[in-house]
Amino acid sequence: MTPTRSGMGLSVVVTTRGRSDSCRRLCAAPDAQFGDDPDLTTEVVLVFDGCEPYDWIDGAGRYRCVHLTVRHGIARARNIGIGHACGETVAFLDDDAVPMPGWVSSVVAAPSTYPQMIAFGGRVIGSDQQNVYAQLRDQVYYREAFGAWYVDGSADGDLIGPPYVNGGNSAYRRQAVVDAAGFDEALPAYSDVELGRRLDLHRRGVLLAGMTIRHDHPATFGEYLRRCYRSGRARGLLWSRRRYPQDAPGRVAAAIVTNVLWNNVVHRIRRITAGRTRAAIVLTCQEVLHGVGYARSLVSVR
């Protein structure tokens, strides 16, 4: 069925950058879930960010393909996807994830279940739970951002009022994102965090218990630390460009010192089930790289 902007249709925007096999794996999941209800007004918008379209796409059915000949980055790719989407609700997935059963039905039901909310998210769980870097992302970053609900699969009910919804597993009322001018394309990370602040998702967002994806978290030391560095650079830009108080130099420096001297060794390391010595080293390096990235952003904008 062809989506229309007059209906309560859903557009799923998938950003991809050359990972054909993982993108195909991702698309198979929502395709199967769409099939559970043939009357759903849905589409999948595939945004090829600086890569060629994949040969397994036949151009028929639900797929709407957008080919960007130059890589623009995740925020720009998502904004372009929004421009091509026809649904009143636009959901986002990246090509290194797989939505779990019930994902589509959760997203479709959300706008009517929560008519006062404009953004919907869920859990992003690492595909390899034995990998120490995946554990750090789940047990440290996500747990501290969203609380124990986020990593406790047995928790019942939805979580009202998160600070933001994770960009790789999110859905928004399309017009709300358009009115907000979309994701901030200048940020190397945290574009979902920043959009959540502008949209005031503490009051207007919800995390759905049934909206879960498995995600290929960074699996190596280098990948993990590059992400930490980009996060630091993003926070520096958030302060220098938008002056969010939580990203002020004093607060960032205090958080880094507190994490190194207290949180890492007293709280965080206890959540890791294997490789604790390596995790302790990585946690320290994480804070250092975050600080270096932050400082570099402040210097570069002067």
Side-chain angles (χ1 to χ4, degrees), residues 29-220:
D31 271 350
Q33 294 176 41
F34 288 148
D36 294 339
D37 187 347
D39 293 329
L40 285 178
T41 302
T42 55
E43 66 174 352
V44 175
V45 179
L46 281 172
V47 182
F48 296 91
D49 188 17
C51 64
E52 292 298 319
Y54 308 137
D55 57 10
W56 51 265
I57 299 172
D58 60 11
R62 301 184 187 275
Y63 292 110
R64 182 191 300 266
C65 295
V66 182
H67 180 210
L68 309 180
T69 57
V70 176
R71 182 170 294 181
H72 291 275
I74 190 69
R76 176 64 175 159
R78 286 174 180 161
N79 286 340
I80 291 173
I82 294 169
H84 287 268
C86 292
E88 290 190 357
T89 302
V90 179
F92 295 94
L93 291 168
D94 301 331
D95 66 0
D96 53 359
V98 175
M100 302 304 289
W103 185 88
V104 167
S105 59
S106 294
V107 178
V108 169
S112 56
T113 303
Y114 295 100
Q116 75 279 22
M117 299 299 185
I118 62 172
F120 315 97
R123 296 182 178 92
V124 177
I125 306 299
S127 303
D128 180 6
Q129 288 296 296
Q130 300 306 308
N131 184 285
V132 66
Y133 305 106
Q135 287 190 48
L136 286 172
R137 189 148 181 84
D138 287 340
Q139 295 294 336
V140 175
Y141 181 80
Y142 288 142
R143 179 184 284 272
E144 292 179 3
F146 301 104
W149 178 95
Y150 206 79
V151 293
D152 184 0
S154 64
D156 294 327
D158 301 331
L159 181 66
I160 306 296
Y164 68 97
V165 292
N166 187 294
N169 183 29
S170 59
Y172 300 83
R173 296 185 191 271
R174 182 181 182 279
Q175 195 57 49
V177 182
V178 171
D179 291 344
F183 296 94
D184 187 336
E185 298 172 10
L187 297 176
Y190 281 13
S191 60
D192 48 358
V193 176
E194 195 280 327
L195 180 60
R197 293 176 184 177
R198 277 188 284 132
L199 293 178
D200 194 17
L201 296 192
H202 268 301
R203 295 189 306 106
R204 308 171 74 192
V206 57
L207 300 186
L208 307 173
M211 190 176 169
T212 299
I213 66 171
R214 290 285 179 182
H215 180 262
D216 296 337
H217 290 342
T220 68

Side-chain angles (χ1 to χ4, degrees), residues 267-281:
H267 298 297
R268 290 172 167 177
I269 199 66
R270 295 181 179 179
R271 303 176 194 149
I272 306 303
T273 59
R276 286 186 171 180
T277 299
R278 187 196 313 173
I281 295 172

Side-chain angles (χ1 to χ4, degrees), residues 229-294:
Y229 176 76
R230 289 196 301 269
S231 296
R233 291 205 64 193
R235 289 193 72 186
L237 290 172
L238 287 174
W239 171 249
S240 61
R241 296 173 66 244
R242 295 187 182 272
R243 284 297 193 267
Y244 289 119
Q246 56 267 59
D247 301 308
R251 293 184 65 169
V252 171
I256 290 174
V257 172
T258 301
N259 288 337
V260 171
L261 298 181
W262 180 258
N263 287 336
N264 287 354
V265 294
V266 175
H267 298 297
R268 290 172 167 177
I269 199 66
R270 295 181 179 179
R271 303 176 194 149
I272 306 303
T273 59
R276 286 186 171 180
T277 299
R278 187 196 313 173
I281 295 172
V282 174
L283 284 169
T284 300
C285 293
Q286 166 183 304
E287 298 302 323
V288 172
L289 266 294
H290 191 86
V292 170
Y294 181 87

